[in-house]
Amino acid sequence: MSGNHPRLTGKIDPNKINRIETPRISESILQAFRDLGHCTCAVSDALDELGIPGAIPGSMLKCIIPGSHLVGLALTLRNVARQGDLNEIVRSKNNLMAEAECHNLAQTGDVLVIQGVQSASNMGGVGGRMGKRQGELGAIVDGVVRDVADFKESEYPIWSKGVTPITGKWRGQSEEINGPVTICDVLVNPGDLVVADESGVCFVPRQFVDAVLLLAQKKVRLEEDLSQKINQGWSIPDIVNPLP
């Protein structure tokens, strides 16, 4: 590795790093999504109109810090369950998890997206502090995490399937960084847009961000107009069936 690329940690075979840098969506597009506020519902509606699967309910991926929301770019990691005798693996102290390498490669505005194992932690509090320092906005984990109090203290939000005290050091191994991952049956590529809030998580493929943004903005404007009419005392029939 040369140039401005970071020095690798050595925790994963470099051949398993699909790309060093996450593809970037323009800052103007990202800011436009941020300006929509807590917008997963509007983004989900836009994805529906375009026939793109990408929305995951908050009942499946719940945020450990209530009230959190983010708009960022996917930095992906794929973990798999580790094979072998657990007692022997623990005695060997051979950790094959490479989440730290993701933090090492992270750019400001990235969101760590992990296709993880379900029976043990894919990320802990130290990782959250690394990610926060590197400029990550948070993480989305199809799997479980641990050290909830640490994530809250460092203000690093995570949307996950659950929490556990059980370490993944000996129970999982990282197979690929910045390659395609599947999160709750949704395909996510590095650099895809990630939108998350208390309603859930939406992934928007990079090639569709402009179209999704226009539809989401339209949805937000419509709801703002309807809310204003409610506050102004319009009758429900006039709100639901506006006059021409």
Side-chain angles (χ1 to χ4, degrees):
M1 306 300 168
S2 62
N4 295 323
H5 296 321
R7 180 170 59 90
L8 300 182
T9 66
K11 295 298 292 183
I12 189 171
D13 182 343
N15 292 321
K16 292 185 177 181
I17 302 176
N18 186 276
R19 59 171 73 228
I20 294 295
E21 295 182 353
T22 303
R24 311 315 284 179
I25 295 170
S26 72
E27 179 58 30
S28 61
I29 294 294
L30 293 174
Q31 187 57 53
F33 274 99
R34 294 187 201 109
D35 290 342
L36 297 178
H38 296 235
C39 63
T40 57
C41 295
V43 171
S44 176
D45 288 353
L47 290 169
D48 276 349
E49 289 193 39
L50 294 169
I52 303 169
I56 301 169
S59 57
M60 293 180 67
L61 294 177
K62 186 175 182 180
C63 187
I64 62 176
I65 304 179
S68 298
H69 66 106
L70 59 78
V71 173
L73 302 179
L75 164 62
T76 61
L77 170 65
R78 180 168 58 88
N79 292 333
V80 298
R82 188 168 174 177
Q83 305 301 311
D85 181 83
L86 178 61
N87 291 329
E88 291 183 6
I89 293 171
V90 173
R91 282 195 295 270
S92 73
K93 303 296 183 183
N94 184 18
N95 178 7
L96 299 181
M97 297 289 272
E99 164 232 327
E101 190 71 85
C102 292
H103 304 310
N104 184 47
L105 298 176
Q107 300 180 59
T108 300
D110 281 349
V111 178
L112 180 54
V113 178
I114 302 176
Q115 178 182 334
V117 297
Q118 309 298 317
S119 58
S121 174
N122 294 272
M123 188 174 180
V126 171
R129 293 180 188 278
M130 288 182 187
K132 182 78 172 183
R133 191 199 67 182
Q134 298 295 91
E136 292 172 26
L137 302 178
I140 314 295
V141 183
D142 186 342
V144 295
V145 299
R146 71 178 195 166
D147 297 333
V148 174
D150 286 349
F151 290 124
K152 290 180 177 179
E153 182 178 333
S154 62
E155 298 182 336
Y156 184 95
I158 291 185
W159 284 255
S160 71
K161 280 188 173 177
V163 297
T164 181
I166 301 172
T167 183
K169 287 180 181 180
W170 327 121
R171 297 171 173 86
Q173 64 186 57
S174 297
E175 285 295 294
E176 187 177 26
I177 291 173
N178 271 338
V181 295
T182 302
I183 306 298
C184 299
D185 297 323
V186 173
L187 177 65
V188 183
N189 285 292
D192 283 351
L193 182 71
V194 185
V195 180
D197 58 28
E198 285 192 288
S199 292
V201 178
C202 291
F203 296 105
V204 182
R206 296 191 306 280
Q207 64 270 32
F208 296 115
V209 291
D210 294 307
V212 169
L213 175 60
L214 289 174
L215 290 172
Q217 289 172 327
K218 180 180 178 181
K219 172 71 173 178
V220 169
R221 287 195 299 268
L222 175 60
E223 293 205 349
E224 288 175 346
D225 179 64
L226 292 175
S227 295
Q228 187 176 28
K229 288 175 179 177
I230 292 169
N231 293 336
Q232 290 173 347
W234 284 45
S235 70
I236 292 178
D238 286 340
I239 294 170
V240 176
N241 302 299
L243 296 174

